[in-house]
Amino acid sequence: MGYTVFTCNLQSKPADPPPFSPPRELLAQQNHRLRRIRSSDDVPAMVVFLNANRRLVSSARLLSASRSVPLSGLALARAMSSGSAQRVFQLKLDPLTGNSEWVVIEEDAGGTAPEGLHQGLLATTSYLDMLNDSRRNRAFREAIDKAVSGPCRVLDIGAGTGLLSMMAARAMGLGDSPTCRSNNGSVTACESYLPMVKLMRKVLRANDMARSITVLNKRSDEVRVGVDIESRADVLVSEILDSELLGEGLIPTLQHAHDMLLVENPVTVPYKAIVYGQLVESTYLWKLHDLYNNEAEILDGIHLVPAGLERIIGVKLQQHPMHCDAIRREIKLLSEPFRIFEFNFGKRPESHGETAVRVKATGSGQVNAVISWWMLQLDDEGSIHYSTAPKWITLSGAGNWCDHWKQCVWFIPGKGVPLAKDEEISLRAAHGDTSISYQLEPDQPKSTGGDHHVKGGDFCLTLSPERIAIYGDAEWRLSVLNALKTVLQRRAPSVCVIADDSIFLALLVARFSTASHIMALFPGLQDKGIHYLKAVADANGFSMDRVEFVRKKMANWTGDDTHNKAVDLLIAEPFYYGSDGMLPWQNLRFWNERTALDSLLSKDASIMPCKGLLKVCAMSLPDLWNSRRSLYKIEGFDHSVVNPTLGACGDAADGGPCLPFYVWQCGEELSQIYTVMEFDFSRPISPCQGKAKVKFSERGICHGLVLWIDWVMDAENSIVVSTGPDRRHWKQGVKLLSTPVAAGLQGSTNTGEISCLIVQTSFDPSNGELVIEHVPS
């Protein structure tokens, strides 16, 4: 096995590759949130990335979709066969430096490659959550049993572990036993993602199906009739759906399949999908996107979105997957559910479609969002359904919790659209190959959100909904402002370095430290950050003459970069653009960069934040734990072989990998909050260890530990910015227990209960990894 490593900065244009010449062009396809890399003719490859649900998306026409790895760790690409070998491009991100590198691994025809490579890649994906969705599995099994009633040719696109293929083979009477073989039927499983193909082959062998199912490690648009399959397929079984329905490339996949791979009028499972929507009022949802109107109520003198530039900061114009049941009490329903689009899998779909729906208001209020979901009809008779509807909708099969499919939210601009009870309004919906968009008409004339015309240019800084909500949080802003004022009262810094992507800190320093020379790195925002500052400088009362944008990485700075002056103030939130899906401690990149700048800091330099406190709390997390539990029989097929690779709870001695998650959506605290480790930013980065005795304060079932970092902003330890579960807009790290434990109170004599857990942690600055261990006490 040989490998080649070369770097590619995903936050800017990719570096020119070395002579080996794999990926050389990075294309951003905003409409379905993916990146694709084109490769040279002699090394064909496709790189696949994730959508917001940690599920793999492929570019249009390059589809057999499946689930891939989170951007917080690794992204992997499968290369097509080259002779007797296969090449795998692994994009690896170093969270402490922000650097990414491509590791090219060649695998010979025998499939030899490090087992740990594939295992690590799949352990933090949503495959396990999907396979634990019993409603989904049962619905597909029932529909396939009805559709495959005799010998036929079945094609499974995006086969994953091969579950649907095995269902089809069993329904047809195929098996590895010679007495079960049929010459009249066949099942072909098409899966483009190499690590999943390797796992599928294990599952097929475990179920005596290896010789009954033909496995193609290809995208579906690479499959050729007469080469890969003998003839066109009679039956298509496929589940390449995301929360939005179309984001994994359903339409282009179906188009190619109907054009090249299927007979006329094929049988398909699912049979069709229907998209539904509902108009809602919600202050919580409003604050996730409308920073202009939210900021108008905050009187701190900072204008992230000045008047006349109302859209200079905004969310991406797309549907945003969310667990809407978690905010049910903060939602006022303003309409009944209404049908939007219908997609028939048995017909070739159109790439674009539009519709207008007349919606009657069931109550008065302000329409802040359209919440949407979809329902599958899996059989042609309409007796088998699956829905992603929220619990308040009484559709067949709705309501079970899962993380791989959520509802979607489309934000209405500004403060929304006022609506009176019984009033009718028109909702226009449009879909492309991979997304659906909405517009309330006439929303602009009725909107009370102010003028949404972009003045002063069309530049818009796109941030995540959670980041916009943080910037509109008056309490958070006051904490950061007070911390900075405390530092500035002590001394006026001549050189201030902003190490992260915080536009709020940049405005604060420029506004309140009038004598400072400000050096902004904006490592993720890059030119967008400096463009933004130029646009809002006048409204915030400072001159860009004092602000310098430094493109060089801090590790390479010399005295020349600071104009031979010592750095008096080094600050960060810390926030790194594009890191929303990362674990909390990966923001310790700030500590690493502070260390790189050590020789350029003045002796009494101020560092903000001063330290980080790693916090831990024991929690009940039944839904999340059940979605990550070990697999055994799925509709009669043994999947236990996948448990170690997918990081399942129960089989993994440590409960699987640590996962980033918004814990407030599905967890309840069972203990007080404890500090388990401290990171001192006044000193260079170094290994850390910590230990805490986590005592249960509530009875219940403990499913895991939740960890996060509280940032101590000032030297007096008086201003602390928490990112814990009570702060909804930050993700915490969740370490699930291998086996849940019964939590009891101190002194309890109830059999089987324990009163506390001993938690030990260690931080390795060489790779940014945090090791978490726990034992009952």
Side-chain angles (χ1 to χ4, degrees):
M1 181 186 70
Y3 64 91
T4 303
V5 178
F6 57 97
T7 60
C8 176
N9 185 350
L10 293 183
Q11 296 162 346
S12 60
K13 289 194 289 188
D16 290 332
F20 177 72
S21 190
R24 67 182 177 198
E25 183 180 4
L26 189 63
L27 304 176
Q29 299 194 11
Q30 180 174 337
N31 63 336
H32 63 303
R33 306 179 299 285
L34 63 89
R35 296 186 180 97
R36 170 188 171 188
I37 290 184
R38 281 184 184 162
S39 49
S40 60
D41 294 335
D42 57 324
V43 189
M46 184 190 77
V47 176
V48 290
F49 292 85
L50 288 194
N51 62 11
N53 291 332
R54 300 201 315 273
R55 287 162 61 100
L56 177 145
V57 289
S58 302
S59 57
R61 309 290 298 181
L62 292 181
L63 294 162
S64 160
S66 73
R67 288 87 185 153
S68 187
V69 294
L71 288 175
S72 59
L74 304 168
L76 187 96
R78 182 205 51 90
M80 293 184 293
S81 297
S82 177
S84 61
Q86 288 203 315
R87 250 170 211 159
V88 177
F89 300 136
Q90 175 185 321
L91 178 63
K92 190 171 185 178
L93 175 67
D94 184 337
L96 288 186
T97 64
N99 295 331
S100 55
E101 65 180 12
W102 289 100
V103 179
V104 184
I105 300 174
E106 293 203 40
E107 190 174 71
D108 63 27
T112 56
E115 187 66 27
L117 166 67
H118 297 156
Q119 184 166 327
L121 290 167
L122 294 171
T124 54
T125 68
S126 65
Y127 282 103
L128 188 60
D129 176 75
M130 177 199 68
L131 291 168
N132 268 308
D133 187 347
S134 58
R135 273 197 310 126
R136 166 195 175 274
N137 301 334
R138 182 173 58 253
F140 270 91
R141 191 263 302 162
E142 291 175 352
I144 289 172
D145 284 348
K146 288 182 67 174
V148 184
S149 56
C152 56
R153 298 177 297 276
V154 178
L155 175 62
D156 179 2
I157 296 179
T161 63
L163 177 61
L164 304 189
S165 294
M166 291 189 294
M167 290 177 179
R170 182 175 62 186
M172 208 184 308
L174 298 180
D176 279 0
S177 171
T179 60
C180 296
R181 301 300 297 271
S182 169
N183 294 325
N184 299 319
S186 66
V187 178
T188 301
C190 180
E191 172 59 56
S192 67
Y193 188 40
L194 179 60
M196 185 51 64
V197 170
K198 293 173 68 68
L199 196 58
M200 186 200 314
R201 293 188 189 279
K202 290 183 179 181
V203 174
L204 296 181
R205 287 194 296 268
N207 289 277
D208 295 327
M209 287 279 188
R211 292 186 295 171
S212 303
I213 297 170
T214 300
V215 178
L216 299 179
N217 183 198
K218 291 186 173 185
R219 306 186 307 261
S220 62
D221 74 333
E222 297 173 331
V223 177
R224 298 292 180 264
V225 174
V227 178
D228 303 297
I229 56 177
E230 291 184 3
S231 58
R232 288 177 176 256
D234 307 300
V235 179
L236 172 67
V237 297
S238 183
E239 189 276 271
I240 49 172
L241 313 173
D242 69 348
S243 294
E244 191 177 7
L245 185 72
L246 305 182
E248 291 188 4
L250 174 65
I251 286 179
T253 299
L254 288 178
Q255 287 175 338
H256 179 267
H258 279 285
D259 290 344
M260 307 300 296
L261 304 175
L262 303 177
V263 299
E264 189 174 355
N265 299 319
V267 174
T268 64
V269 178
Y271 177 76
K272 67 179 179 180
I274 304 171
V275 178
Y276 291 90
Q278 196 166 21
L279 304 182
V280 302
E281 177 183 76
S282 172
T283 300
Y284 174 78
L285 294 177
W286 164 62
K287 290 185 176 182
L288 289 175
H289 75 97
D290 184 16
L291 183 55
Y292 173 71
N293 286 295
N294 191 19
E295 189 179 49
E297 303 174 5
I298 302 174
L299 304 177
D300 57 13
I302 298 299
H303 306 287
L304 286 168
V305 185
L309 292 171
E310 287 84 357
R311 289 179 59 187
I312 196 167
I313 294 178
V315 296
K316 189 175 290 186
L317 292 177
Q318 66 180 38
Q319 296 199 78
H320 297 268
M322 294 186 189
H323 285 291
C324 290
D325 285 322
I327 55 172
R328 176 63 183 93
R329 294 182 179 179
E330 299 165 82
I331 290 176
K332 179 181 180 180
L333 304 179
L334 296 180
S335 76
E336 295 293 337
F338 46 84
R339 182 182 297 215
I340 303 171
F341 284 118
E342 180 175 313
F343 300 92
N344 188 328
F345 288 41
K347 304 295 182 183
R348 189 186 192 280
E350 296 296 328
S351 291
H352 302 280
E354 294 186 10
T355 188
V357 183
R358 296 296 295 176
V359 183
K360 185 177 181 179
T362 57
S364 299
Q366 203 82 8
V367 183
N368 298 123
V370 179
I371 291 178
S372 67
W373 61 92
W374 46 259
M375 183 180 72
L376 294 181
Q377 178 183 317
L378 287 100
D379 65 326
D380 58 355
E381 296 176 354
S383 62
I384 306 171
H385 297 91
Y386 181 100
S387 175
T388 62
K391 290 181 179 179
W392 66 77
I393 302 299
T394 55
L395 292 175
S396 174
N400 289 3
W401 191 94
C402 66
D403 195 45
H404 65 105
W405 286 326
K406 309 178 184 73
Q407 297 77 48
C408 281
V409 173
W410 177 274
F411 298 115
I412 303 300
K415 288 186 175 180
V417 177
L419 203 57
K421 185 178 181 180
D422 296 326
E423 180 183 355
E424 284 196 356
I425 192 169
S426 178
L427 176 75
R428 294 195 64 84
H431 76 77
D433 273 344
T434 54
S435 63
I436 300 174
S437 60
Y438 304 100
Q439 183 180 4
L440 278 178
E441 295 184 342
D443 62 352
Q444 294 304 327
K446 299 183 68 174
S447 174
T448 59
D451 181 9
H452 294 285
H453 176 68
V454 180
K455 300 177 181 177
D458 291 331
F459 172 77
C460 178
L461 182 61
T462 301
L463 300 175
S464 71
E466 291 75 22
R467 175 51 41 178
I468 285 179
I470 290 169
Y471 281 154
D473 185 334
E475 180 183 351
W476 178 86
R477 288 168 65 128
L478 181 61
S479 295
V480 177
L481 175 59
N482 287 340
L484 181 64
K485 284 184 174 180
T486 299
V487 171
L488 297 180
Q489 288 171 359
R490 191 176 301 117
R491 70 180 287 190
S494 61
V495 178
C496 171
V497 173
I498 302 169
D500 65 351
D501 286 301
S502 177
I503 55 173
F504 183 71
L505 280 178
L507 293 186
L508 280 185
V509 176
R511 175 77 172 79
F512 293 105
S513 183
T514 57
S516 297
H517 178 70
I518 302 164
M519 305 181 73
L521 269 74
F522 292 140
L525 290 174
Q526 296 284 300
D527 289 338
K528 291 181 289 187
I530 205 69
H531 193 164
Y532 166 80
L533 288 185
K534 289 178 180 178
V536 303
D538 289 344
N540 285 278
F542 69 89
S543 169
M544 285 297 295
D545 294 341
R546 296 190 295 111
V547 181
E548 179 183 357
F549 174 45
V550 185
R551 297 180 184 274
K552 186 186 295 187
K553 286 186 175 292
M554 198 174 288
N556 300 323
W557 280 25
T558 66
D560 292 337
D561 296 294
T562 60
H563 310 287
N564 295 313
K565 294 182 179 180
V567 176
D568 304 307
L569 175 60
L570 174 65
I571 60 174
E573 294 184 23
F575 158 66
Y576 294 95
Y577 185 71
S579 66
D580 305 277
M582 289 189 173
L583 292 162
W585 40 91
Q586 291 175 329
N587 281 317
L588 291 174
R589 174 177 175 177
F590 170 68
W591 195 10
N592 190 63
E593 292 180 336
R594 172 256 177 267
T595 302
L597 202 65
D598 192 59
S599 63
L600 300 178
L601 294 173
S602 64
K603 292 183 179 180
D604 55 350
S606 297
I607 310 292
M608 191 180 98
C610 302
K611 65 178 72 170
L613 304 177
L614 182 66
K615 298 288 186 173
V616 63
C617 178
M619 297 191 73
S620 174
L621 300 156
D623 289 330
L624 186 57
W625 194 90
N626 284 327
S627 75
R628 305 288 306 179
R629 70 189 310 167
S630 292
L631 300 167
Y632 297 101
K633 292 281 188 178
I634 302 179
E635 297 300 321
F637 296 105
D638 184 5
H639 271 66
S640 58
V641 68
V642 309
N643 289 327
T645 302
L646 298 185
C649 298
D651 277 31
D654 61 354
C658 203
L659 303 170
F661 203 80
Y662 293 111
V663 171
W664 66 271
Q665 297 178 351
C666 68
E668 294 183 5
E669 295 182 7
L670 295 178
S671 75
Q672 299 296 320
I673 296 170
Y674 296 87
T675 299
V676 67
M677 196 154 60
E678 180 176 308
F679 310 104
D680 185 358
F681 304 145
S682 67
R683 300 177 180 179
I685 194 169
S686 61
C688 302
Q689 293 81 35
K691 186 176 182 178
K693 187 175 184 179
V694 179
K695 299 178 181 178
F696 293 117
S697 57
E698 301 287 342
R699 280 195 167 91
I701 301 299
C702 177
H703 298 89
L705 300 166
V706 175
L707 299 100
W708 66 93
I709 293 181
D710 283 355
W711 305 99
V712 181
M713 306 302 287
D714 64 330
E716 291 75 26
N717 299 328
S718 61
I719 302 175
V720 179
V721 174
S722 177
T723 63
D726 60 333
R727 306 296 177 174
R728 291 185 172 188
H729 307 308
W730 279 277
K731 287 184 176 181
Q732 295 77 45
V734 179
K735 182 67 173 179
L736 294 172
L737 304 184
S738 179
T739 303
V741 298
L745 304 182
Q746 194 76 23
S748 171
T749 58
N750 291 348
T751 304
E753 288 187 345
I754 64 171
S755 60
C756 67
L757 291 171
I758 304 298
V759 180
Q760 298 182 90
T761 59
S762 60
F763 172 70
D764 184 351
S766 68
N767 55 21
E769 294 294 326
L770 184 73
V771 176
I772 305 163
E773 298 175 329
H774 48 82
V775 294
S777 173

